[in-house]
Amino acid sequence: WRTSIFAVVLLYFVFKMGGCMTLEVDPKNNAAFKQVRSVRIESVYDDYTFYRNEFINNMVLDLEEFCDIFSNSLDDPDSLFAALNDLGGDDGVVDVFETFAALGAICRAGFREKIAFIFQLFDFDTSKALEQVEVEATFSAVARGCCKVLGATPPDKESMKKIAEACFAHIDSDNSGTVSEREFYEWILYHEEIQLFLQKYAGTQSLLFAKKLHKDFIKEVEVLFKKVKGYDEEPNPKKLRIEMCRKYKTLSDQLGDYMVDVCFQEEEKLLWENFLPIVSAWAAFAAVDANGDHELDGDELRTLIWLVEGREPEPSRVRRDLKIIDTHGDGQVEIDEWIKYLATTNAKNGKDVFYFQLRKKFDLFDKDKSGSLDLEELMELLKDTFKSLIDEKNSDNAKRLAAQC
């Protein structure tokens, strides 16, 4: 699944020359994107089943047919029709597969679920493998459909065909002449350029890619921290906040001040090791905000918890945390809500301090995800805590004895 330098360069060249990857898009203020993003993948499957039952011979849809299929899942099918229609407005027709590919890529679902739907969509002969012509159709429909939803100039079909031809042999890792769902999924999973495209134009990404973004973001902030610090033991808090807000436009002055102040309150020194936990939480939020709208819905919050804790959370846990974190009451999690959720109030002075690991441990032992620990859960937490302390003490004693011998 590893692509050659030629394939990567070709992919970048086509998107760049087509103006696709360079066009700024704003998912947060794009009505068509927000509408598709609100649709759950179960509804997309239902719509596709209806299409196959009623319009299987139609490769394009007019407005009436489009509304017949999508009126149950979309609040305003007319506006999405206009976005997908090359002519604009109510005239003309839309491509069936560009429509379903865009819905499958952007809708509310996990990364693997989306890939599975798209694979099934283009497995025309139901052989559970894609031939080259089917891969070409997949590339074209996903790229063009997502771009149209966001109002970006879509790449032409001939360009997408060249990309598919260049990449097909690299996706077909076992040289069988077809691409299995595993090969298709793994190639997308490990192909950074594809991940970047899906992140920008479909508001979706894999957990693996989120981990990479998380790590890169932390390194970036560390470089900034050291630059502000210079040769001093610690950076000036005010200067650090100014530089962070200057570099990261989505970080407000108030939140920047809060983050610096919380870390300073905890240790009375603004050292990198003290600042790292809150930067890690900030980086995790930024990494999973795939569509760049600076707020997380329930599916993105699921990925955020998964990224932070290293295991997939139960749906009940996600619903519980969304309700607790969302202090603004708009059904979304914003960065200030996330950071303050992870903070703890210092009983001595009433100010917030940041004990990120404490929150993670609390959530680990809150087995029923009720938001509180009953006696049994508390006992398990204490046993685990004291076990760690005892193991650490025994390790120190063993080292001393070894040194004496």
Side-chain angles (χ1 to χ4, degrees), residues 259-317:
M259 289 169 63
V260 171
D261 186 54
V262 161
C263 292
F264 190 77
Q265 285 293 330
E266 183 176 357
E267 299 290 343
E268 297 184 351
K269 269 190 177 182
L270 194 55
L271 305 178
W272 173 247
E273 54 264 34
N274 303 335
F275 198 48
L276 177 58
I278 203 166
V279 170
S280 181
W282 175 26
F285 185 98
V288 302
D289 181 22
N291 59 12
D293 62 0
H294 317 309
E295 56 187 24
L296 307 183
D297 59 25
D299 289 308
E300 290 171 317
L301 178 60
R302 167 181 165 271
T303 305
L304 177 60
I305 297 170
W306 197 348
L307 175 63
V308 167
E309 298 187 355
R311 58 178 186 168
E312 185 176 9
E314 294 291 332
S316 58
R317 161 74 187 285

Side-chain angles (χ1 to χ4, degrees), residues 169-393:
H170 302 281
I171 308 174
D172 178 20
S173 58
D174 62 0
N175 299 314
S176 65
T178 60
V179 172
S180 68
E181 185 175 338
R182 178 190 62 80
E183 290 173 322
F184 186 66
Y185 171 76
E186 289 182 345
W187 186 77
I188 293 173
L189 184 66
Y190 292 104
H191 194 307
E192 189 167 325
E193 284 73 20
I194 296 293
Q195 289 277 334
L196 285 168
F197 178 85
L198 291 174
Q199 184 194 48
K200 185 172 184 179
Y201 290 92
T204 191
Q205 64 184 359
S206 66
L207 181 67
L208 184 67
F209 191 61
K211 287 180 178 179
K212 179 188 181 303
L213 295 179
H214 179 245
K215 186 177 179 180
D216 291 347
F217 192 97
I218 291 173
K219 286 182 178 178
E220 193 176 84
V221 177
E222 184 178 12
V223 169
L224 178 64
F225 184 94
K226 290 179 177 178
K227 180 181 176 182
V228 174
K229 182 175 78 72
Y231 293 103
D232 298 327
E233 183 184 2
E234 57 180 309
N236 177 280
K238 183 177 180 181
K239 186 178 179 183
L240 178 62
R241 189 268 298 164
I242 291 172
E243 291 301 320
M244 287 196 310
C245 293
R246 182 179 295 164
K247 183 174 180 66
Y248 303 101
K249 303 300 182 185
T250 59
L251 184 67
S252 66
D253 290 345
Q254 294 84 352
L255 184 57
D257 279 335
Y258 177 83
M259 289 169 63
V260 171
D261 186 54
V262 161
C263 292
F264 190 77
Q265 285 293 330
E266 183 176 357
E267 299 290 343
E268 297 184 351
K269 269 190 177 182
L270 194 55
L271 305 178
W272 173 247
E273 54 264 34
N274 303 335
F275 198 48
L276 177 58
I278 203 166
V279 170
S280 181
W282 175 26
F285 185 98
V288 302
D289 181 22
N291 59 12
D293 62 0
H294 317 309
E295 56 187 24
L296 307 183
D297 59 25
D299 289 308
E300 290 171 317
L301 178 60
R302 167 181 165 271
T303 305
L304 177 60
I305 297 170
W306 197 348
L307 175 63
V308 167
E309 298 187 355
R311 58 178 186 168
E312 185 176 9
E314 294 291 332
S316 58
R317 161 74 187 285
V318 177
R319 290 193 296 271
R320 185 211 75 182
D321 281 12
L322 179 59
K323 187 175 181 180
I324 295 171
I325 301 170
D326 178 26
T327 56
H328 299 163
D330 57 2
Q332 305 286 327
V333 173
E334 297 173 18
I335 180 62
D336 62 317
E337 293 174 317
W338 167 244
I339 295 295
K340 291 177 181 179
Y341 163 72
L342 296 172
T344 305
T345 302
N346 187 324
K348 293 181 180 178
N349 57 22
K351 293 186 177 182
D352 283 353
V353 292
F354 202 79
Y355 296 126
F356 190 26
Q357 297 303 320
L358 179 62
R359 168 61 70 177
K360 287 176 65 176
K361 177 156 281 194
F362 178 93
D363 286 331
L364 178 64
F365 285 92
D366 180 17
K367 303 294 186 183
D368 59 1
K369 308 307 174 190
S370 62
S372 61
L373 300 182
D374 59 28
L375 181 59
E376 184 179 346
E377 292 168 333
L378 180 59
M379 289 297 293
E380 289 296 320
L381 184 149
L382 291 173
K383 281 194 291 185
D384 181 80
T385 302
F386 283 115
K387 182 180 183 300
S388 300
L389 291 172
I390 291 168
D391 289 346
E392 185 178 341
K393 188 70 174 176

